[in-house]
Amino acid sequence: MKTRGLVLEALGVVKVATAAQLRDLTCPGTAGVETVRNGCKDLELSGLVVSAGTTSRLESGGRRVTEKLWSLTPAGLEAASHALERPLKEMGGTARAAAASGAKHALRVTDTLAAFVQQPIEPTAGPVAARSSAPPPQRVPLRGRPPGLGPLAAWSTEVTLPTGGTFTTPAKGSLRADAVYALPGEAVPLLFVEVDNGTETRAEVADKLVRYAKFFARTEKPRPDQGDRKPRRLWRTVWTAPENEPGWGQPDSQPHPPVAIVFTKNMGPEAMEACLRGIADLSAPVWRGTWNGLPGKDGDKDGYRTFGDAIPVVVCRLDRLQAEGPHGPIWWRYGRQRGGESLVAALDDANRPDSLAAYQAREKERRREREQREAAEKVAAERARAASCWACPSCGRAVYPDKWGRVRGSVCSKCEWAAQAAEHQAQEEAEKAAEQAEYERQRRADGWLGWLPGRH
């Protein structure tokens, strides 16, 4: 009964899957897929699940194996909506047509979700064979899994993102997100996922990101009861994400949710690198932001980027996602140096070297270095000035070189001013004495008439 409920919930999320995939999503600790396959058959008898197609895969030994594809019936879709506590209108379709054609892309989406969720492996009992005396199969020691990103119930697939029109009647050119993860309150509260099987060109993948930007930029239609309140972004009417935390709406951060692209096609390292960088170059206007260059006081140039309409885009390979989980160092954030980061670190705007905060930190460091340099230069100048002084020959006071050409051995400015004042006074007294002597000479030359008033 528990297996049937898990299968129903899993198919409500992924829409179409093989028994092996359902086992990986719900109960990877089982010895084999028979438990899940029997659960699917029970649900089929109840009219909730149907096998509408098959797919094939190659095992490690080269043997081709054909597997049934399981999907929900309309009744199963309704039952899954109750199990997942979602409105039926948000459950999407049954994907029966996709299953009939092999559902290659849908299966890769299911593999990607299993890699994101990393359902913990717990010991479970295998199926009991009736009337069998054979010993039970040897249980293989369970291998631990890396931490996953939320429970399966936090995920949705084939989510309509209308670039025009409404969610129920989207305009032509709208897109469907392969998967959306939403779990408010977590380190990554919202994530849109695109699964690339290598069937689309780089330009087509880049165009999807352009349409994501167009959808994220849409706002809800204003209502009369809103008053002066600014209309919300349309995506915020469906999903909850913080508005006052880095990366979710601050002036220096990304107001748009992040988009993750998972590449599932096996290709060589050089081909994969060319693919990743090609998409990055073609979609640069979506994630790059606007550069604000500022001249530094020391002649250096620096600046920061603003990301008013930019989308954080992270990319990785499916094989690494499966092996290391979403929190492993597997992500490349477009706009940063190529290298592996965990999902949380890749989406953390504080790690951006081109952010305003990073620029302010660099400017603070430059200011600190400049102040240290100026302080050292001041100390050196004081030491040089102290080493160049001499004692005034007149009063013994310390004398320093100055811009007027004072040389070693000369008197201090105070003594110099005193000598100049004494010289000036002596000159005035000499001039007065000369005038008085001339007056006396003239008076004697005039005789008794020299005493008359006004004579001299």
Side-chain angles (χ1 to χ4, degrees):
M1 183 64 69
K2 180 180 178 180
T3 302
R4 290 178 56 181
L6 293 174
V7 168
L8 195 66
E9 292 181 12
L11 285 176
V13 174
V14 301
K15 302 299 188 298
V16 58
T18 66
Q21 288 179 319
L22 291 170
R23 170 179 175 264
D24 196 30
L25 281 167
T26 58
C27 48
T30 53
V33 299
E34 284 302 319
T35 300
V36 175
R37 187 177 290 117
N38 290 339
C40 290
K41 291 178 179 178
D42 289 343
L43 290 169
E44 187 178 27
L45 292 175
S46 302
L48 301 178
V49 165
V50 63
S51 176
T54 60
T55 186
S56 62
R57 60 180 174 85
L58 287 176
E59 290 187 333
S60 57
R63 185 171 67 94
R64 183 168 293 277
V65 177
T66 301
E67 299 176 286
K68 282 186 176 182
L69 294 176
W70 299 95
S71 61
L72 296 173
T73 64
L77 193 66
E78 184 175 359
S81 72
H82 291 295
L84 294 169
E85 298 182 351
R86 294 180 186 174
L88 183 59
K89 64 180 182 179
E90 296 181 7
M91 293 296 295
T94 61
R96 190 169 182 175
S101 61
K104 291 184 178 179
H105 182 71
L107 293 179
R108 300 310 277 169
V109 173
T110 300
D111 287 337
T112 301
L113 255 65
F116 267 109
V117 173
Q118 294 287 338
Q119 178 68 25
I121 298 177
E122 299 176 356
T124 58
V128 178
R131 300 176 183 176
S132 175
S133 60
Q138 183 71 28
R139 295 301 298 267
V140 179
L142 300 178
R143 176 180 60 84
R145 282 187 164 185
L149 188 65
L152 182 61
W155 288 87
S156 303
T157 58
E158 293 298 311
V159 180
T160 300
L161 308 179
T163 57
T166 64
F167 284 97
T168 54
T169 56
K172 185 177 180 180
S174 298
L175 68 157
R176 287 180 177 269
D178 288 330
V180 177
Y181 166 80
L183 196 61
E186 296 298 313
V188 181
L190 185 61
L191 181 68
F192 291 77
V193 177
E194 285 297 317
V195 178
D196 185 276
N197 295 342
T199 57
E200 295 179 314
T201 65
R202 300 171 190 175
E204 288 173 326
V205 177
D207 180 66
K208 279 188 177 181
L209 294 175
V210 172
R211 285 184 284 160
Y212 265 102
K214 187 175 181 180
F215 165 70
F216 289 149
R218 291 190 66 190
T219 56
E220 64 178 339
K221 291 183 178 180
R223 301 191 307 269
D225 61 340
Q226 285 182 325
D228 296 333
R229 184 175 68 84
K230 185 178 179 181
R232 294 177 298 171
R233 300 277 184 168
L234 186 61
W235 65 267
R236 286 191 180 275
T237 65
V238 178
W239 296 283
T240 300
E243 298 189 44
N244 297 315
E245 294 182 12
W248 296 96
Q250 288 187 341
D252 177 44
S253 60
Q254 309 280 6
H256 295 329
V259 175
I261 306 177
V262 180
F263 295 87
T264 67
K265 184 178 180 180
N266 292 325
M267 59 181 76
E270 293 183 359
M272 176 59 72
E273 188 71 13
C275 178
L276 297 182
R277 294 195 179 277
I279 295 173
D281 293 340
L282 292 172
S283 63
V286 171
W287 52 259
R288 178 171 290 163
T290 303
W291 177 252
N292 302 274
L294 297 172
K297 290 185 178 180
D298 298 329
D300 54 341
K301 293 182 179 180
D302 201 351
Y304 60 94
R305 290 189 182 276
T306 51
F307 296 85
D309 293 313
I311 298 176
V313 179
V314 293
V315 298
C316 78
R317 300 197 324 255
L318 176 60
D319 58 344
R320 293 200 62 186
L321 182 62
Q322 290 171 326
E324 302 176 57
H327 300 291
I330 63 173
W331 298 97
W332 175 27
R333 167 83 174 264
Y334 280 168
R336 295 186 185 173
Q337 292 293 327
R338 183 76 164 91
E341 292 182 294
S342 70
L343 183 59
V344 173
L347 297 178
D348 184 3
D349 287 329
N351 289 338
R352 289 200 322 259
D354 54 357
S355 68
L356 175 58
Y359 166 76
Q360 290 173 334
R362 291 192 299 271
E363 185 64 18
K364 183 178 180 180
E365 178 63 20
R366 283 191 290 264
R367 191 183 309 114
R368 186 188 65 82
E369 293 177 352
R370 185 165 57 248
E371 290 172 352
Q372 287 182 342
R373 185 171 63 251
E374 291 174 352
E377 292 173 353
K378 184 177 180 180
V379 170
E382 288 293 337
R383 289 177 179 174
R385 185 169 180 268
S388 64
C389 76
W390 64 89
C392 175
S394 178
C395 67
R397 185 181 290 108
V399 186
Y400 298 91
D402 56 27
K403 62 182 179 180
W404 294 284
R406 195 182 302 276
V407 296
R408 180 176 290 277
S410 59
V411 298
C412 67
S413 57
K414 188 172 183 180
C415 291
E416 184 178 4
W417 293 336
Q420 291 176 354
E423 182 180 356
H424 181 67
Q425 184 177 0
Q427 184 177 359
E428 287 183 345
E429 291 176 353
E431 290 176 353
K432 288 180 179 181
E435 289 178 358
Q436 184 64 29
E438 179 62 20
Y439 172 78
E440 291 294 333
R441 187 186 66 76
Q442 288 291 339
R443 188 176 62 80
R444 285 194 298 271
D446 291 342
W448 64 273
L449 294 175
W451 296 97
L452 294 175
R455 183 75 176 174
H456 297 288

